[in-house]
Amino acid sequence: MLRQASAAGRYYPASKEKIRSVITPMEVKGIAKERYLGAVMPHAGYPYSGGVAMAVASRLDLPEIAIILGPSHTGIGAEYAIMASGIWQTPMGEVEIDSPLAHSIMKYCRHIKADPSAHQYEHSIEVQIPILQYFKPDIKIVPITVSFGKSETLADIGYGIASALRETGREAIIIASSDMTHYESQSDAHLKDSLALDAIIKLDAAEMLERIQQNHITMCGYAPVAAMLTAVKEMGAKRARVVAYQTSGDVTHHLDQVVGYAGLVVEQTEESPQVALARAAVETFVREKKVITPSAEISAELSGEAGVFVSLKKLGELRGCIGTFEAHFDNIADEIVSNAVSSAARDPRFEPVAEWELPLLSYSVDVLTPPQPVEDTNSLDAKKYGVIVESGHLRGLLLPDLEGVDTPSEQISICRQKAGITADAPVKLYRFEVKRYH
């Protein structure tokens, strides 16, 4: 069976050349591609949400198959409908449905029915396919529409998908297609979307569904996301990460009624104890205005004394960075907590972090070795060593291995600027190493 494109010319361009001309500038270059178990991608028109979808797809080392779960906007066909065989056609070419995997999913999930009619005019899955074809022209798909339903039903769908992947031994990414808050003000969308995203990054489908109901969050694809979260947790996922977020208002500049768009990837690696502690410190302080006290039983990784820097990034852009050259506390745990709170609330370059920003933050914790004096730049290496430049009571510090800083001379120049040390003032140089935790 051939499923012809129905959204081409409306949600995205109707020709291959025009699709490429629209999405090529949105590709995020220079980042490592990784295998992820799952992802969330928005499905509005490419001018509005295409940048967010491309921010996700640019990071994906795509496997052979993408299982794409999308909500049903049309109400046509079965509540939970799979197209189990055939070809999907887009202006980018034809995409084969992986029939063996589709039939295995139906075997393990009694709720899912084979029903091509549910897919005929539905755009939520279709708009993802040209983007996936752009990066992997021979990709196969398993398309499933997932309507609103009880949490138990959505969990069963997730378990069924995970069981089918185990049975077949196929490697696939599970993509949930969803936009976020619909037609509310920019500020309300930020707040409501942050509540849903906070649950999603914790892979907590039940919490996400409860928050959506309690806060009237108009997230159209919450059912596909809930099913995806159950599946990836069953497959060993540890956390999700927001890689892009914006609203239609960021494009149109009309902020009274916006639609939110979020892009996430699901990872199999856990946060390090250092980063988990920094995140907990920031989130507790921003939400409750309290500084947490690390457990009385501090692990070996968090004991000992050292200088620590905590850096916050919001969707890849620096959002705060505060640290200590030398230890101010008798353990690394307290050092992390203090500097994490300061990075979020006291970095003079930025406004304090707002609660709605929390799900969008990523954290980096650098634990410093004691500084060693050096005679000249021959003993420095911009990738390996951080630098401290000292002149009288003025001191400037720069961490190692920073993007765009490639030489010791650049490090020293930046340190002088940060500390207010003139270019001709004599200085003492120190180097240190860091252990960086992401």
Side-chain angles (χ1 to χ4, degrees):
M1 179 177 179
L2 178 65
R3 194 280 193 186
Q4 296 181 329
S6 65
R10 297 186 298 128
Y11 287 86
Y12 62 92
S15 72
K16 180 177 182 178
E17 293 73 21
K18 288 185 178 179
I19 291 172
R20 295 185 69 87
S21 71
V22 169
I23 66 177
T24 297
M26 299 175 179
E27 181 180 356
V28 183
K29 299 184 183 295
I31 56 173
K33 294 183 182 292
E34 298 182 34
R35 285 288 171 98
Y36 294 102
L37 294 175
V40 177
M41 294 170 62
H43 56 241
Y46 285 0
Y48 301 100
S49 68
V52 174
M54 285 293 288
V56 175
S58 297
R59 288 168 164 79
L60 304 180
D61 177 11
L62 287 166
E64 181 185 6
I65 305 165
I67 301 170
I68 310 176
L69 311 177
S72 174
H73 294 84
T74 67
I76 298 172
E79 284 186 296
Y80 311 104
I82 195 168
M83 190 168 169
S85 62
I87 299 292
W88 275 49
Q89 189 179 67
T90 81
M92 297 284 282
E94 294 184 345
V95 177
E96 179 185 349
I97 292 174
D98 192 279
S99 189
L101 180 56
H103 282 90
S104 182
I105 290 172
M106 284 193 290
K107 182 177 80 172
Y108 282 103
C109 187
R110 58 188 173 87
H111 302 286
I112 294 178
K113 310 297 181 187
D115 188 352
S117 70
H119 294 272
Q120 187 173 1
Y121 302 110
E122 178 53 52
H123 73 276
S124 65
I125 293 173
E126 180 183 330
V127 297
Q128 311 297 354
I129 297 174
I131 291 175
L132 299 178
Q133 290 175 288
Y134 175 83
F135 291 100
K136 188 176 178 66
D138 61 345
I139 195 163
K140 297 180 181 180
I141 64 168
V142 177
I144 307 172
T145 56
V146 183
S147 299
F148 309 137
K150 295 180 179 179
S151 59
E152 295 84 358
T153 302
L154 302 176
D156 285 345
I157 292 172
Y159 290 130
I161 291 171
S163 297
L165 287 170
R166 279 196 294 266
E167 178 190 66
T168 61
R170 309 301 290 276
E171 187 176 7
I173 184 170
I174 307 168
I175 297 173
S177 180
S178 181
D179 297 338
M180 302 299 290
T181 293
H182 287 64
Y183 309 121
E184 298 196 36
S185 69
Q186 178 96 321
S187 58
D188 286 348
H190 283 166
L191 290 171
K192 289 188 174 185
D193 288 347
S194 71
L195 292 172
L197 291 172
D198 183 63
I200 294 170
I201 63 177
K202 296 171 183 173
L203 306 183
D204 194 333
E207 180 68 18
M208 181 196 71
L209 294 172
E210 183 178 345
R211 291 184 180 188
I212 285 171
Q213 183 178 22
Q214 290 181 348
N215 297 280
H216 307 289
I217 302 172
T218 51
M219 175 181 168
C220 62
Y222 72 77
V225 172
M228 181 273 290
L229 291 178
T230 300
V232 295
K233 282 188 72 174
E234 186 72 4
M235 295 161 59
K238 302 301 183 184
R239 57 176 174 159
R241 175 166 55 90
V242 181
V243 298
Y245 175 83
Q246 67 180 41
T247 73
S248 58
D250 296 321
V251 177
T252 67
H253 306 295
H254 299 302
L255 305 181
D256 292 338
Q257 287 193 324
V258 306
V259 179
Y261 311 116
L264 299 94
V265 293
V266 178
E267 302 178 322
Q268 291 177 274
T269 56
E270 292 183 327
E271 284 186 327
S272 68
Q274 292 82 358
V275 169
L277 180 58
R279 181 185 297 277
V282 169
E283 292 184 351
T284 301
F285 185 81
V286 171
R287 291 191 174 115
E288 304 175 27
K289 299 297 183 286
K290 294 179 180 178
V291 177
I292 63 174
T293 302
S295 169
E297 297 182 4
I298 296 173
S299 67
E301 296 171 291
L302 298 173
S303 61
E305 298 182 12
V308 169
F309 272 71
V310 177
S311 302
L312 312 181
K313 286 189 175 182
K314 178 182 170 184
L315 303 178
E317 299 293 329
L318 186 66
R319 189 62 181 83
C321 180
I322 296 291
T324 44
F325 293 40
E326 299 169 345
H328 287 190
F329 297 89
D330 61 7
N331 62 77
I332 292 171
D334 283 324
E335 207 82 37
I336 289 172
V337 169
S338 175
N339 291 331
V341 169
S342 293
S343 295
R346 303 183 186 115
D347 188 325
R349 297 168 294 178
F350 303 97
E351 291 293 321
V353 169
E355 185 170 351
W356 73 269
E357 297 178 281
L358 292 175
L360 312 183
L361 297 180
S362 59
Y363 297 75
S364 177
V365 176
D366 289 320
V367 179
L368 282 58
T369 61
Q372 298 177 326
V374 298
E375 293 299 322
D376 52 45
T377 58
N378 292 328
S379 301
L380 300 178
D381 181 326
K383 296 299 179 185
K384 182 177 181 181
Y385 298 114
V387 175
I388 297 173
V389 176
E390 182 179 85
S391 179
H393 67 282
L394 301 176
R395 286 202 300 177
L397 176 146
L398 196 70
L399 297 170
D401 196 19
L402 297 179
E403 184 178 354
V405 182
D406 301 316
T407 68
S409 295
E410 291 175 304
Q411 288 181 304
I412 293 169
S413 176
I414 294 170
C415 285
R416 284 180 179 271
Q417 292 174 29
K418 291 174 68 174
I421 302 171
T422 61
D424 58 351
V427 295
K428 295 180 180 179
L429 300 177
Y430 301 84
R431 75 180 187 186
F432 59 90
E433 294 183 73
V434 305
K435 189 157 188 182
R436 181 163 292 161
Y437 302 92
H438 294 286

